Amino acid sequence: MKKTTYLLAVTLIMCSVSVSAQGWKDLKKKAKKEAEKVKKTSSTGGFSNDEAAGGMKEALGKGVEKGVAQLNKKDGYLKDLEIKIPMPKEAKSVEEKLRKMGQGKKVDEAIESMNRAAEDAAEGAKDIFVVAIKEMTVADAVSIIKGEKDAATKYLSKATRAELVKKFQPVIKASLDKVGATKHWKSVFGTYNKLPMVKKVNPDLEEYVTNKALDGLFIQIAKEELNIRENPVARVTDLLKKVFG
């Protein structure tokens, strides 16, 4: 009897250990699945890192497309006071003096022509932006989504600014010549530099307009990024709704 009781006890213990071991395996398997699930999803919401990257690229692509379209038309720069290209700071004295002399029309023509050149050249920046967006990594995208409301624009600026200046300047030069900005610029500074007792001033037109045009582009893209982040109506695809919703 004692022997039977002993064997029964041993059997029960072994069964218990067996169940516990199986339970432990199940627990480990479940934990592993959960860990993989957490790894695949971003802490910003229930979407995977790949979805984050796709959503961010899509958002930036749409932001660039709308931003460029907004600027690549008449008055895209000229009538937007936030990005309108004025005379350079170092030429402020030139503008003031010529306006006092009744040459304001000449100055206005030069300012308008610079903005027209920027509007004409804006389309040329799109392809450079597209390449930078394609090269964005998953880690970049997740970081941007977690970042500030203009994090994507800042990333794009950092990734493309130097390349844009190099590739955009010839486009700007062609546009400056096309809309007559070079002629108006020479007229303004030629008139001023002929005045007695003035320090001659002649800023680099191409460099100045290139940088101001790019500043305007990034400001416009930042507006589009903010719109997608904050305005549900601007999230026109399922992916954008999931990532930014």
Side-chain angles (χ1 to χ4, degrees), residues 80 82 153 218-228:
D80 187 334
E82 190 176 5
T153 305
F218 284 115
I219 288 171
Q220 193 62 36
I221 291 169
K223 289 179 184 177
E224 297 303 333
E225 177 186 356
L226 182 63
N227 188 37
I228 289 173

Side-chain angles (χ1 to χ4, degrees), residues 27-73:
L27 188 62
K28 282 177 69 178
K29 188 183 288 186
K30 186 177 180 181
K32 187 177 180 181
K33 284 183 179 179
E34 287 300 318
E36 288 176 352
K37 186 178 177 182
V38 169
K39 186 178 179 182
K40 286 181 180 178
T41 56
S42 160
S43 62
T44 57
F47 49 84
S48 70
N49 287 344
D50 286 342
E51 286 175 324
M56 198 68 256
K57 289 180 180 182
E58 196 170 305
L60 263 178
K62 290 190 176 301
V64 165
E65 188 176 346
K66 285 190 70 177
V68 168
Q70 175 63 29
L71 299 181
N72 184 224
K73 63 183 183 181

Side-chain angles (χ1 to χ4, degrees), residues 53-202:
M56 198 68 256
K57 289 180 180 182
E58 196 170 305
L60 263 178
K62 290 190 176 301
V64 165
E65 188 176 346
K66 285 190 70 177
V68 168
Q70 175 63 29
L71 299 181
N72 184 224
K73 63 183 183 181
K74 186 177 180 180
D75 295 334
Y77 276 87
L78 188 64
K79 293 296 176 69
D80 187 334
L81 296 181
E82 190 176 5
I83 62 174
K84 178 182 176 180
I85 302 175
M87 292 294 282
K89 288 181 180 178
E90 61 268 36
K92 203 65 185 171
S93 60
V94 176
E95 180 175 357
E96 290 172 355
K97 197 167 191 69
L98 289 180
R99 288 193 185 281
K100 287 179 181 177
M101 293 171 55
Q103 298 288 324
K105 185 173 184 294
K106 194 184 292 283
V107 174
D108 290 336
E109 287 173 343
I111 291 172
E112 180 179 344
S113 65
M114 288 189 293
N115 284 274
R116 294 287 181 244
E119 291 159 7
D120 183 66
E123 179 70 19
K126 190 158 62 175
D127 290 343
I128 303 171
F129 283 132
V130 168
V131 171
I133 292 168
K134 285 181 179 177
E135 292 176 351
M136 180 186 290
T137 67
V138 172
D140 286 333
V142 173
S143 176
I144 289 168
I145 288 173
K146 294 178 181 177
E148 298 174 358
K149 293 179 179 180
D150 62 346
T153 305
K154 285 179 179 176
Y155 166 85
L156 202 57
S157 178
K158 184 178 179 181
T160 65
R161 183 85 192 203
E163 187 72 7
L164 275 169
V165 169
K166 185 168 67 176
K167 291 188 175 181
F168 202 48
Q169 192 156 335
V171 180
I172 284 289
K173 182 182 185 306
S175 293
L176 288 169
D177 293 338
K178 177 181 173 182
V179 303
T182 307
K183 178 187 70 176
H184 290 302
W185 186 268
K186 287 179 179 177
S187 176
V188 165
F189 289 97
T191 300
Y192 178 80
N193 289 332
K194 287 177 184 177
L195 297 174
M197 309 294 290
V198 298
K199 181 180 178 181
K200 294 191 185 316
V201 180
N202 193 20

